[in-house]
Amino acid sequence: MNVLDITGVTKVYNPDTVPVHALRGVDLEVSAGEFTAIVGPSGSGKTTLLNLIGGLDRPTAGQIRINGIDLATLSANKLIDFRRDHIGFVFQSYNLIPVLTARENAEFVMLLQKRPRAEREARVTQLLREVGLEDRMDYRPTQLSGGQQQRVAVVRALAPRPRFILADEPTANLDSVSTANLLDIMARLNREEGVTFLFSTHDQRVIDRARRVVRLEDGQIVSDEVFDR
Amino acid sequence: MRTLVVLAWRNIWRNKRRTWITAASIFFAVLLSTLMVSIQKGAWDRMEESVVNYYFGYVQIHGRGYWEDRSIDRAFAETDSLRRLVEEIPGVETTVPRLESFALAAHGERTLGVMAVGIDPEREHAMTRLRERLVQGSYFEDDEEAVLVAEGMAERLDIQAGDTLVLLSQGYHGVNAAGKYVVKGLIHFGSPELNRLMVYLPLPVAQYFYGADGLITSIALKVTEKDDVPQILATLQQRLDTTRYEVMDWHQMMPELVEARAVDTAGNYLMLLILYLIVSFGIFGTILMMTAERTYEFGVLVAIGMRRLQLSVEVWLEVLFIALLGTLLGFLASFPLVYYFHRHPIDLSGSPEMAETYAQFGFEPVFPAAFEPMVFLGQAIVVFIITSVLALYPFWKIGRLQPVTAMRH
Ligand SMILES: Nc1ncnc2c1ncn2[C@@H]1O[C@H](COP(=O)(O)OP(=O)(O)OP(=O)(O)O)[C@@H](O)[C@H]1O
Ligand SMILES: [Mg+2]
């Protein structure tokens, strides 16, 4: 079964004043375990699409189903819980809560889910070790580099074992070494944990690592290619 | 919830300076208002106490209509059954019979309108500690042809213990009353008004003077607990023949006092209201900044699955912590201060002008602060309510927060 089914999704911002057609009829299917990049020039609708998939915003028309559940049927509060339990988010920057340590940030979603302490600690310690942050667990975000912060954000997203992780330009603010490093980690976690990754980017080095590349232009999918890597 | 508390606590230290400034404004408000309320309450309590304990008592029984016209013609006999009936009521410690009326007092060339009261020396002492308030001379016996004169009055009449005082009055049913009495002692009254007005005679002597053999005009009640007064009053209304007697508590006997206190207290509250209004604006400013500068962060939190209610509670806790900090520090500072003024009353009697002003209202210009947990608790409640009301703003703001919009900041 697909983890994600999108049919005929359009998104119009400011329909009553200056309408902006950010998405014009997008159809997309994503199955479990994919490592997929959404690419396209600035303003093509990448962020808009990811926000709709993540239930952060509602489409103007069309249907988005995650694991067969139509997001439109969920109330606002149910949607928040749904995000918490099924979707991991990594944003471009400032993902972390400044007053919490790396470990506390990484545990945060599991904490919201009221998972037992022992389970949280074991899971987060293991993941932070995997991303090479075992000696930074008690640091605050301001004491971490941008790349380290993004790694913590990935761990936070991954820790509660969501259906998939949405990452909107996760490397946009990183240098090339940190970018390569983060992608290595994401690819490895994708393989080892079997979690689906869906990320947007316009960085060619990132695009080259994706196993599927969906290209958006002007709110429409113009190409959809699968690579064997 | 633990998470929210930890988050809130750490968040308030993100901007230490702002937290301290906000807490300081609450600190000063709490300090100022606990001090103000304690001193005001203390002053009035002291005044009521001095008026009640030095003479009136919390409850009195009169012949019906007496308080209205103060006529000695409404005198009645204190029979054994009447006394027993009253003293049997729980909470009544003793009863004090009196025969009071107005008289003209003269010494040498000087004369003065006074209140000449017949008392049972022992029973009177049991309630008002009269013997201990002697400042000169000695206490009198039951049947001595002698008087005790209030200090202020002695000064005006230029009279001393051992001198002779002449009293003239109209007695029971209009008989002429006149007598010459040795001044046995001078007594001090807390209330300057009473201090100027009172002359005591032994009850039988006064009854003879007024021609009211065996009669009294009032019975004052010594009550163990002030809080029992309404209950005692109700019982008396029930058991006494109200066509013959009237029963009054000190509120009814001294409505001016009650009213003056209410007016003064209202004025005080108005000042506190203004004070807290100013402080509220300060706190609100802090809340506005706090929510505005963290819009993006709030967006992230709601996006990754934090409920809006949880987030709102977290922000409310932040405001509450700052308020708590200010309130606790305020208590820490005001406790010793209030206690100091409790033990060392503010004494304005050194300033004759102030003393005179307060004398007009019938009390000594000495203000011990009340040292009562209720005053502090009241402040804590006020601060709690203010912060909770102000925290409605972040509740409202976060309730409408859309992560996508918030994160475009
Ligand atoms: N909240 C909004 N209100 C109005 N218009 C918006 C809003 N969000 C996005 N848009 C517009 O919708 C279009 C698509 O924007 P979107 O952010 O999805 O593009 P993007 O592909 O993510 O671009 P970038 O690579 O610059 O991040 C753009 O024209 C943008 O200006
Ligand atoms: Mg974008």
Side-chain angles (χ1 to χ4, degrees):
Chain A
M1 190 170 73
N2 290 331
V3 282
L4 177 64
D5 286 288
I6 299 177
T7 41
V9 161
T10 65
K11 178 68 183 178
V12 184
Y13 290 112
N14 317 323
D16 308 321
T17 52
V18 198
V20 178
H21 295 266
L23 293 176
R24 313 160 184 262
V26 170
D27 300 307
L28 184 67
E29 292 180 6
V30 174
S31 49
E34 283 192 24
F35 196 66
T36 299
I38 313 244
V39 304
S42 183
S44 56
K46 304 183 293 292
T47 298
T48 303
L49 182 59
L50 287 179
N51 285 344
L52 293 181
I53 295 170
L56 296 176
D57 205 355
R58 307 254 193 200
T60 309
Q63 199 185 47
I64 299 171
R65 277 180 299 155
I66 292 172
N67 267 57
I69 296 166
D70 184 355
L71 292 188
T73 61
L74 300 175
S75 70
N77 266 330
K78 278 270 176 355
L79 198 57
I80 293 184
D81 290 354
F82 186 83
R83 285 203 297 264
R84 184 191 65 196
D85 297 337
H86 300 295
I87 305 174
F89 289 91
V90 178
F91 303 103
Q92 191 172 322
S93 53
Y94 302 114
N95 269 287
L96 306 180
I97 304 164
V99 295
L100 298 184
T101 63
R103 165 199 287 288
E104 290 166 334
N105 264 292
E107 281 186 10
F108 195 75
V109 177
M110 292 183 86
L111 205 63
L112 290 178
Q113 291 176 329
K114 301 196 165 63
R115 302 277 191 94
R117 187 196 183 94
E119 183 195 342
R120 290 193 322 250
E121 279 189 0
R123 172 81 172 149
V124 163
T125 310
Q126 176 230 331
L127 285 174
L128 283 173
R129 193 169 293 139
E130 273 181 47
V131 302
L133 289 176
E134 60 267 49
D135 55 348
R136 293 284 187 280
M137 295 210 260
D138 296 320
Y139 284 38
R140 296 259 179 114
T142 48
Q143 299 166 308
L144 298 173
S145 73
Q148 290 170 333
Q149 290 182 28
Q150 289 304 74
R151 280 187 261 162
V152 175
V154 169
V155 172
R156 178 181 69 193
L158 197 66
R161 303 179 198 278
R163 302 276 169 212
F164 53 79
I165 290 178
L166 297 174
D168 191 11
E169 309 207 33
T171 60
N173 293 329
L174 302 184
D175 58 45
S176 53
V177 176
S178 305
T179 298
N181 186 278
L182 187 69
L183 274 157
D184 285 344
I185 287 165
M186 283 166 55
R188 184 153 43 85
L189 293 171
N190 168 250
R191 241 179 298 114
E192 289 170 3
E193 299 258 333
V195 65
T196 313
F197 272 91
L198 203 56
F199 50 95
S200 74
T201 185
H202 28 216
D203 183 339
Q204 191 55 48
R205 288 165 304 179
V206 177
I207 298 171
D208 289 344
R209 302 288 301 268
R211 289 204 303 275
R212 178 183 174 191
V213 176
V214 176
R215 188 168 296 277
L216 271 181
E217 254 168 51
D218 226 1
Q220 285 175 315
I221 294 178
V222 292
S223 73
D224 187 345
E225 297 169 277
V226 178
F227 303 92
D228 190 16
R229 7 189 198 241
Chain B
M1 194 64 203
R2 219 189 76 89
T3 316
L4 298 183
V5 170
V6 170
L7 265 180
W9 179 251
R10 294 196 194 160
N11 271 322
I12 65 174
W13 300 113
R14 273 162 87 167
N15 193 330
K16 290 196 183 65
R17 198 153 53 123
R18 187 168 65 203
T19 294
W20 279 122
I21 290 173
T22 313
S25 74
I26 296 168
F27 165 84
F28 283 117
V30 167
L31 178 62
L32 215 70
S33 46
T34 42
L35 212 59
M36 242 171 85
V37 171
S38 296
I39 288 177
Q40 199 252 6
K41 188 172 188 322
W44 282 102
D45 284 352
R46 158 93 175 216
M47 168 179 175
E48 281 174 8
E49 222 170 85
S50 74
V51 173
V52 167
N53 290 345
Y54 277 29
Y55 190 69
F56 286 93
Y58 285 111
V59 179
Q60 283 191 13
I61 300 166
H62 314 124
R64 198 177 158 71
Y66 172 74
W67 202 252
E68 182 72 25
D69 59 18
R70 303 292 175 94
S71 165
I72 196 171
D73 296 347
R74 303 200 188 267
F76 58 93
E78 191 203 27
T79 57
D80 283 346
S81 62
L82 178 62
R83 184 175 171 186
R84 218 176 308 115
L85 183 147
V86 177
E87 288 182 349
E88 264 168 10
I89 295 173
V92 175
E93 217 173 289
T94 37
T95 57
V96 181
R98 291 176 186 146
L99 178 62
E100 358 173 88
S101 192
F102 293 98
L104 198 67
H107 175 246
E109 296 289 286
R110 306 188 184 198
T111 57
L112 199 62
V114 302
M115 181 118 139
V117 185
I119 57 168
D120 179 319
E122 290 319 309
R123 285 163 78 186
E124 184 72 29
H125 173 77
M127 176 165 126
T128 63
R129 320 304 307 167
L130 193 58
R131 184 181 283 131
E132 288 160 18
R133 290 194 275 120
L134 274 174
V135 289
Q136 202 188 86
S138 54
Y139 207 54
F140 53 30
E141 296 293 321
D142 209 12
D143 48 4
E144 259 180 299
E145 294 274 327
V147 293
L148 297 174
V149 172
E151 211 181 3
M153 180 172 137
E155 207 172 291
R156 287 169 174 247
L157 289 176
D158 191 21
I159 206 166
Q160 307 254 335
D163 292 344
T164 303
L165 183 75
V166 175
L167 288 176
L168 297 169
S169 181
Q170 195 167 52
Y172 190 58
H173 287 307
V175 303
N176 279 327
K180 260 167 73 176
Y181 305 96
V182 179
V183 176
K184 206 107 192 258
L186 305 188
I187 333 153
H188 170 76
F189 278 90
S191 155
E193 194 188 334
L194 295 179
N195 211 28
R196 182 150 61 200
L197 212 58
M198 303 300 289
V199 179
Y200 286 122
L201 299 82
L203 189 55
V205 178
Q207 283 167 339
Y208 183 78
F209 171 67
Y210 285 122
D213 198 22
L215 298 182
I216 58 174
T217 53
S218 56
I219 302 172
L221 270 56
K222 180 166 194 218
V223 168
T224 322
E225 280 294 328
K226 182 181 173 182
D227 296 341
D228 292 343
V229 168
Q231 182 56 44
I232 293 169
L233 206 65
T235 314
L236 280 171
Q237 304 283 23
Q238 215 172 53
R239 296 195 188 163
L240 281 177
D241 176 1
T242 47
T243 59
R244 291 178 60 195
Y245 304 104
E246 66 186 18
V247 186
M248 292 183 151
D249 69 3
W250 59 291
H251 287 125
Q252 291 164 301
M253 291 187 283
M254 290 169 283
E256 329 80 40
L257 184 71
V258 175
E259 201 174 302
R261 178 171 190 161
V263 169
D264 189 58
T265 305
N268 231 359
Y269 282 152
L270 195 68
M271 273 184 62
L272 291 183
L273 190 75
I274 294 167
L275 180 73
Y276 272 118
L277 219 59
I278 295 169
V279 172
S280 301
F281 277 110
I283 301 175
F284 192 62
T286 300
I287 295 178
L288 273 181
M289 284 191 277
M290 237 159 59
T291 41
E293 69 194 12
R294 270 158 60 196
T295 307
Y296 182 90
E297 190 180 320
F298 290 168
V300 171
L301 287 169
V302 174
I304 65 171
M306 191 167 188
R307 295 248 185 105
R308 290 185 177 82
L309 185 65
Q310 290 177 307
L311 188 55
S312 304
V313 169
E314 192 270 324
V315 175
W316 173 71
L317 283 174
E318 289 179 33
V319 184
L320 193 68
F321 283 161
I322 296 177
L324 223 58
L325 195 69
T327 309
L328 285 180
L329 291 177
F331 284 176
L332 232 56
S334 62
F335 245 76
L337 262 176
V338 171
Y339 189 70
Y340 176 85
F341 285 122
H342 176 64
R343 300 305 304 266
H344 307 271
I346 299 168
D347 189 346
L348 295 178
S349 51
S351 140
E353 227 168 274
M354 291 300 274
E356 189 52 39
T357 311
Y358 284 102
Q360 285 171 5
F361 294 104
F363 62 106
E364 280 183 304
V366 176
F367 307 104
F371 190 70
E372 288 176 19
M374 272 316 291
V375 172
F376 293 92
L377 194 68
Q379 288 307 309
I381 291 171
V382 167
V383 172
F384 180 80
I385 291 174
I386 288 177
T387 48
S388 297
V389 168
L390 291 178
L392 287 178
Y393 173 77
F395 266 80
W396 175 76
K397 196 82 186 163
I398 291 168
R400 298 174 355 138
L401 179 130
Q402 293 302 328
V404 172
T405 329
M407 288 166 65
R408 280 171 68 92
H409 277 265

